């Protein structure tokens, strides 16, 4: 047997196999990405519709799994430990909500939702601005969740009285909208917090293909039927329905395109699986 020829044959086969795997992986990566030409075409067509983008279109369209969550119902022990350490409290029930009060704050809770109102007695900050406001919000969520907290800032909303900051839980890089803090800050500091919790069970194991971000924007354009300016797009997980009664048992979260416009406080939500507006 000619070993030199055999070795050459093996080397050629390995080179061809590596080339095949390279092009297969390259082809797969191209399938699951919006190409620059496709994005350019989408932007041109959208601008003719009166849809203007001041943000990038998410280019990845990889299949995504649903996320399973369990219902959460907070209790008094949880509230006392998390929000009233070393404080004297009074307990009452009002309008079917449990209420705990101290000299510093009032906490109302029911199910998985919590509202905190602070008794602001601080002097006004003369140099109050967005930077100072986010310092107040960051410090508050650090105090509640710890410095290694799992919540990250999703959105900032400026109002006539101050700023609202929305922090959402991150699960393996994905934003979980039903687990969030909405912190309102004015010149005196943190005024109120609305909290919603869910217990994340994990991925369901089955992946489904999603529509591209450009397709979601076209769907939104048809839905609103007017000129809009989009300044941010995020993929976030949320419940499939707005019917709160469905969340009383274990539920599945699905990916949505959260599309923010400069004229609307809340984002439009387009289901990434179905390409329908929620």
């Amino acid at each position: 047997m000619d070993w030199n020829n055999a070795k050459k044959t093996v080397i050629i086969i390995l080179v061809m196999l590596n080339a095949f795997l390279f092009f297969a992986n390259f082809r797969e990566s191209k399938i699951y990405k919006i190409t620059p030409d496709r994005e350019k075409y989408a932007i041109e067509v959208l601008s003719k519709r009166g849809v203007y983008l001041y943000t990038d279109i998410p280019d990845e369209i990889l299949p995504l799994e649903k996320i399973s969550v369990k219902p959460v119902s907070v209790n008094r022990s949880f509230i006392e430990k998390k929000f009233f350490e070393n404080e004297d409290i009074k307990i009452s029930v009002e309008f079917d909500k449990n209420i705990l009060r101290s000299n510093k704050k009032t906490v109302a809770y029911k199910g998985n939702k919590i509202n905190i109102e602070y008794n602001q007695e601080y002097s006004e900050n003369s140099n109050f601005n967005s930077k100072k406001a986010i310092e107040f919000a960051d410090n508050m969520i650090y105090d509640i969740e710890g410095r290694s907290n799992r919540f990250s800032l999703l959105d900032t909303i400026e109002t006539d009285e101050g700023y609202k900051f929305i922090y959402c839980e991150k699960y393996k890089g994905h934003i979980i909208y039903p687990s969030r803090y909405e912190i309102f800050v004015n010149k005196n500091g943190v005024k109120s917090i609305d909290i919603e919790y869910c217990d994340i069970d994990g991925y369901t194991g089955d992946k489904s293909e999603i529509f591209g971000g450009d397709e979601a924007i076209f769907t939104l354009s048809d839905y609103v039927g007017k000129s809009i300016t989009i300044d941010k797009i995020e993929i976030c997980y949320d419940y499939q329905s707005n019917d709160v009664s469905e969340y009383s048992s274990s539920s599945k979260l699905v990916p949505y395109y959260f599309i923010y416009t400069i004229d609307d406080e809340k984002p439009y939500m387009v289901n990434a699986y179905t390409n329908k507006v929620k």
Side-chain angles (χ1 to χ4, degrees), residues 24-36:
N25 289 332
F26 177 77
R27 182 176 178 274
E28 184 176 356
S29 68
K30 296 293 283 185
I31 290 174
Y32 293 125
K33 275 188 176 293
I34 294 176
T35 64

Side-chain angles (χ1 to χ4, degrees), residues 25 29 33 51 58 81 95 97 130 134 139 162 171 184 227 272:
N25 289 332
S29 68
K33 275 188 176 293
V51 178
K81 184 178 180 180
F95 303 106
K97 288 185 177 181
S130 60
I134 201 168
N139 288 335
Y171 177 73
F184 180 74
S227 177

Side-chain angles (χ1 to χ4, degrees), residues 155-159 162-166 184 265-266:
D155 192 22
T156 300
I157 301 166
E158 186 174 2
T159 71
Y163 297 87
K164 182 166 73 173
F165 301 97
I166 300 176
F184 180 74
E265 181 176 311
K266 292 184 177 181

Side-chain angles (χ1 to χ4, degrees), residues 45-78:
V45 176
L46 287 167
S47 66
K48 293 176 182 177
R49 289 188 174 201
V51 178
Y52 306 101
L53 283 89
Y54 287 88
T55 186
D56 294 329
I57 299 175
D59 62 351
E60 286 196 355
I61 44 178
L62 290 165
L64 294 175
E65 296 179 54
K66 294 179 181 179
I67 294 176
S68 178
V69 296
K70 292 179 180 178
V72 172
S73 184
V74 297
N75 54 38
R76 195 178 85 188
S77 175
F78 174 87

Side-chain angles (χ1 to χ4, degrees), residues 10 24 39 51 64 68 97-98 108 114 121 123-124 126 131 151 155 166 179 181 185 198 200 202 222 256 262 269:
V10 170
E39 181 179 23
V51 178
L64 294 175
S68 178
K97 288 185 177 181
N98 296 286
I114 303 169
E121 297 178 354
S123 59
E124 288 191 0
S126 57
K131 184 178 180 181
F151 292 83
D155 192 22
I166 300 176
S179 185
Y181 283 75
V185 180
C198 69
I200 300 171
D222 291 336
Y256 282 87
I262 61 172
M269 300 165 64

